[in-house]
């Protein structure tokens, strides 16, 4: 079964859910208002990676999950082959890779020392705390022809499969978290090593045998994500109950005995029917905060991201962008995510459009910057809660068809100066690049993602009283620079007669005006040259002719 997450159903807003405005403990506020951060942000706001796609190994299917150890990214999913960047399917250098591979984060080159085959798709891959191992879970029952039922481990130094770690999980593993001694797993299984377990289990890192004292229960539905913080195992998924108690989509249990621990917030709304619900898709802990992605099924069910204190569950912020979120990656002062976002009114950013347009990779601030700009989602427990700011990073990922869900990226990871996306996309920024792609900070990127030419129209020129010629035009936008310089060129010249600077995005393009008071007598035309912070330029067509 390829399709793991249904495409989110969309429609008109389903009215206001009954929700009270809450004062949230631990919310860290920055000055209110949207951030204009990009690769060259204003002082006090975080810089994003560039929108330039870097050459990266490609796959012929889908990548569901990735983990980074040092400069190596481990990726798992459903694919049979990998090939170098710039090579079409079936071209030179294509090699067999069976649902798992590794590549260099700094070069994008496929690893030749990590070569293995899973006989079914991998759904989650994570690294041990010391980076000495990666664990993979999924639908497979064999690795390199050896029995490894739904869970396996690899040595990151040698690249070898660890034969001694061979737990027998009877069904799908979707979630993994690990200490140096214990591996916690979640999914939709009911037996591990011959003992009953209900969608959650822990096994020893040495040999995969059961940790007999850890037996929490996800009572009624699947576990999708796990994360560790101290003695707390954070559990996310579709469940409405955990250990027999009401815990909707997110809960915390003891890493020692599996007992339920306090969790104060309720970011996931309670399920109303088989078609109206929301669930956690990913969990990442960073500096004591857990960041989560969510998928909502039904009209305007929670689809965005939230941040909460890992030790208490106190909500830090919740962004209600619509368009299911599949993966999150917190780093430095930003949170990168992959989704099919189409309405970020919650953040004071782009609204829904008709026909719908999707933006499949986003970056936002780790810190809260204000309060929700939109209405509560369906059955939400929150209204006017703290939200972060959307940062100015909008690479263009083409939708894929491999899963028949018509999405783009499903996973995001990174380290240091790089962010990597994995999924089923066939192109990035219009260039062929299938399934995997990397982005880097400005210092390590080509920085060639310039102003958008398609949105830059010819200006309009009109004569004014007193011999002035007024030049009017609409701004364009840039995938990774909010502030652009607009140079007014007269009569085919290359030296500007005037310059204006304006920050804008694709959803808030502005109208600009320049009054040319120095034009000589005669007939004139004008062009607008747009320059970003990296010197990339686009120039408009010429205006109409006007006589002074």
């Amino acid at each position: 079964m390829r399709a793991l997450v249904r495409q989110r159903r969309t429609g008109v807003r389903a009215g206001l859910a009954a929700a009270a405005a809450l004062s949230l403990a631990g919310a860290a506020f920055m000055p209110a208002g949207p951030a204009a951060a990009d690769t060259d942000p204003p002082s006090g706001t975080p810089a994003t990676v560039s929108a330039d796609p870097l050459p990266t190994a490609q796959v012929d299917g889908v990548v569901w999950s990735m983990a980074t150890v040092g400069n190596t990214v481990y990726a798992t999913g459903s694919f049979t082959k990998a090939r170098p960047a710039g090579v079409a399917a079936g071209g030179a250098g294509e090699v067999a890779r069976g649902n798992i591979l590794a590549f260099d984060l700094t070069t994008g080159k496929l690893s030749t020392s990590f070569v293995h085959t899973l006989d079914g798709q991998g759904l989650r891959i994570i690294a041990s705390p010391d980076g000495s191992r990666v664990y993979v879970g999924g639908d497979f029952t064999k690795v390199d022809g050896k029995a490894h039922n739904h869970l396996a481990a690899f040595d990151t130094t040698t690249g070898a499969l660890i034969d001694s770690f061979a737990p027998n999980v009877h069904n799908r593993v979707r979630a993994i978290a690990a200490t140096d001694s214990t591996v916690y797993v979640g999914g939709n299984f009911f037996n591990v090593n011959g003992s009953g377990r209900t969608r959650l289990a822990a096994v020893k890192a040495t040999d995969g045998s059961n940790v007999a004292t850890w037996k929490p229960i996800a009572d009624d539905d699947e576990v999708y994500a796990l994360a560790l913080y101290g003695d707390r195992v954070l559990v996310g998924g579709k469940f409405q109950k955990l250990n027999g108690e009401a815990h909707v989509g997110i809960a915390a249990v003891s890493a020692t005995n599996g007992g339920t621990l306090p969790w104060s917030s309720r970011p996931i709304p309670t399920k109303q029917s088989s078609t109206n619900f929301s669930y956690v898709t990913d969990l990442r802990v960073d500096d004591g905060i857990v960041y989560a992605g969510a998928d909502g099924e039904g009209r305007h069910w929670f689809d965005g991201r939230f941040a909460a204190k890992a030790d208490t569950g106190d909500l830090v912020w919740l962004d209600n962008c619509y368009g299911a979120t599949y993966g999150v990656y917190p780093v430095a002062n930003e949170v990168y995510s992959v989704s099919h976002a189409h309405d970020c009114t919650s953040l004071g950013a782009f609204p829904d459009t008709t026909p719908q347009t999707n933006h499949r990779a986003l970056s936002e601030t780790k810190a809260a910057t204000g309060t929700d700009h939109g209405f509560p989602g369906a059955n939400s427990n929150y209204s006017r809660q703290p939200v972060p700011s959307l940062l100015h990073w909008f690479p263009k990922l083409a939708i894929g068809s491999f899963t028949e869900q018509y999405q783009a990226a499903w996973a995001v990871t990174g380290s240091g100066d790089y962010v990597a996306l994995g999924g089923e996309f066939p192109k990035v920024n219009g260039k062929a690049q299938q399934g995997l792609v990397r982005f880097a900070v400005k210092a390590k990127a080509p920085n060639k993602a310039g102003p958008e030419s398609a949105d830059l129209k010819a200006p309009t020129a009109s004569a004014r009283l007193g011999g002035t010629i007024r030049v009017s035009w609409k701004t364009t936008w840039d995938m990774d620079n909010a502030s652009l310089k607009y140079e007014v060129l007269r009569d085919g010249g290359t030296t500007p007669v005037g310059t204006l600077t304006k920050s804008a995005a694709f959803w808030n393009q502005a109208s600009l005006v320049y009054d040319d008071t120095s034009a000589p007598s005669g007939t004139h035309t004008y062009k607008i040259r747009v320059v970003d912070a990296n010197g990339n330029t686009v120039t408009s067509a010429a205006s109409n002719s006007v006589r002074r």
Side-chain angles (χ1 to χ4, degrees):
M1 176 176 163
R2 289 179 183 165
L4 300 182
V5 186
R6 292 198 301 271
Q7 185 175 9
R8 182 188 176 275
R9 302 174 183 86
T10 57
V12 296
R13 188 177 299 275
L16 292 180
L22 301 180
S23 175
L24 304 178
F29 284 92
M30 292 171 62
D38 48 28
T39 60
D40 288 273
S43 177
T45 53
T48 67
V49 291
S50 166
D52 293 277
L54 302 179
T56 311
Q58 305 176 79
V59 297
D60 66 346
V62 62
V63 170
W64 292 121
S65 181
M66 298 188 294
T68 303
V69 178
N71 289 330
T72 301
V73 176
Y74 298 86
T76 192
S78 179
F79 49 83
T80 59
K81 297 182 186 300
R83 62 189 190 274
V87 173
E94 186 172 75
V95 295
R97 288 293 187 273
N99 301 321
I100 191 169
L101 58 75
F103 67 91
D104 191 297
L105 184 59
T106 64
T107 67
K109 293 183 178 180
L110 186 69
S111 171
T112 57
S113 61
F114 185 84
V115 182
H116 299 283
T117 298
L118 311 180
D119 71 342
Q121 66 181 351
L123 301 177
R124 184 73 69 176
I125 191 165
I126 66 103
S128 63
D130 62 2
S132 65
R133 290 183 174 190
V134 288
Y135 295 96
V136 62
D139 290 337
F140 58 89
T141 58
K142 292 182 179 180
V143 182
D144 301 338
K146 302 173 183 178
H148 285 270
N149 281 311
H150 305 100
L151 184 63
F154 300 90
D155 186 308
T156 58
T157 300
T158 65
L161 171 68
I162 300 174
D163 290 317
S164 60
F165 180 81
N168 182 7
V169 185
H170 105 288
N171 204 354
R172 171 178 291 174
V173 170
R174 283 192 186 270
I176 312 172
T179 67
D180 291 335
S181 61
T182 305
V183 182
Y184 300 90
V185 294
N188 201 33
F189 52 80
F190 299 92
N191 187 290
V192 178
N193 294 323
S195 297
R197 295 290 188 275
T198 305
R199 301 187 178 95
L200 288 163
V203 297
K204 297 175 182 177
T206 51
D207 60 5
S209 61
N210 286 350
V211 176
T213 57
W214 205 80
K215 296 190 290 186
I217 294 172
D219 296 68
D220 56 346
D221 217 328
E222 289 185 76
V223 173
Y224 271 66
L226 295 172
L228 283 163
Y229 185 73
D231 186 49
R232 297 167 71 86
V233 180
L234 310 182
V235 185
K238 286 186 175 180
F239 53 86
Q240 306 291 293
K241 288 185 176 182
L242 194 139
N243 286 342
E245 305 168 5
H247 292 279
V248 179
I250 181 75
V253 299
S254 166
T256 304
N257 59 32
T260 308
L261 297 177
W263 183 269
S264 62
S265 59
R266 296 182 295 157
I268 305 298
T270 302
K271 180 178 180 179
Q272 287 185 331
S273 70
S274 62
T275 58
N276 292 292
F277 62 94
S278 179
Y279 62 97
V280 167
T281 58
D282 199 15
L283 294 170
R284 299 285 188 97
V285 174
D286 189 59
D287 291 333
I289 303 295
V290 59
Y291 300 89
D295 181 2
E297 299 292 330
R299 292 182 176 181
H300 289 272
W301 282 71
F302 177 47
D303 253 356
R305 293 149 292 276
F306 68 85
K309 289 187 173 183
D311 60 346
T312 62
D314 293 353
L315 194 66
V316 175
W317 53 254
L318 182 150
D319 102 55
N320 209 26
C321 283
Y322 296 109
T325 303
Y326 307 119
V328 294
Y329 170 57
V331 60
N333 296 305
E334 312 96 66
V335 180
Y336 292 89
S337 61
V338 291
S339 65
H340 63 263
H342 57 87
D343 182 355
C344 275
T345 303
S346 174
L347 302 182
F350 55 87
D352 228 341
T353 59
T354 303
Q356 190 177 99
T357 53
N358 299 98
H359 308 281
R360 301 177 185 277
L362 301 176
S363 180
E364 57 198 330
T365 59
K366 273 186 175 177
T369 58
T371 55
D372 198 315
H373 297 252
F375 295 115
N379 210 35
S380 176
N381 296 302
Y382 296 99
S383 174
R384 301 295 294 170
Q385 76 285 346
V387 294
S389 282
L390 191 65
L391 302 179
H392 194 101
W393 183 69
F394 304 106
K396 300 175 183 178
L397 305 180
I399 61 172
S401 59
F402 182 80
T403 67
E404 298 181 353
Q405 298 180 76
Y406 306 102
Q407 300 302 322
W410 293 93
V412 54
T413 187
S415 179
D417 297 331
Y418 295 87
V419 171
L421 309 183
E424 60 183 309
F425 47 85
K427 295 181 179 180
V428 181
N429 296 355
K431 182 179 179 180
Q433 179 65 48
Q434 187 177 3
L436 292 166
V437 69
R438 302 172 301 131
F439 301 92
V441 294
K442 180 180 178 181
K444 296 187 177 182
N447 302 305
K448 297 299 183 183
E452 294 288 311
S453 59
D455 285 356
L456 181 62
K457 309 303 181 185
T460 299
S462 58
R464 313 285 289 181
L465 293 175
T468 295
I469 298 176
R470 173 159 290 182
V471 186
S472 305
W473 70 97
K474 198 165 187 178
T475 60
T476 184
W477 65 284
D478 185 292
M479 285 186 280
D480 57 12
N481 288 122
S483 181
L484 300 175
K485 183 166 60 176
Y486 295 85
E487 299 176 335
V488 183
L489 307 177
R490 184 201 300 145
D491 299 332
T494 58
T495 300
V497 297
T499 300
L500 290 81
T501 299
K502 182 68 176 177
S503 290
F506 55 85
W507 70 88
N508 64 357
Q509 292 169 252
S511 295
L512 297 182
V513 171
Y514 176 76
D515 287 332
D516 185 3
T517 59
S518 62
S521 297
T523 300
H524 303 285
T525 62
Y526 294 84
K527 294 180 180 180
I528 304 299
R529 183 169 63 203
V530 190
V531 188
D532 72 7
N534 299 305
N536 300 301
T537 66
V538 294
T539 302
S540 74
S543 72
N544 56 295
S545 297
V546 64
R547 177 174 289 277
R548 179 186 183 278

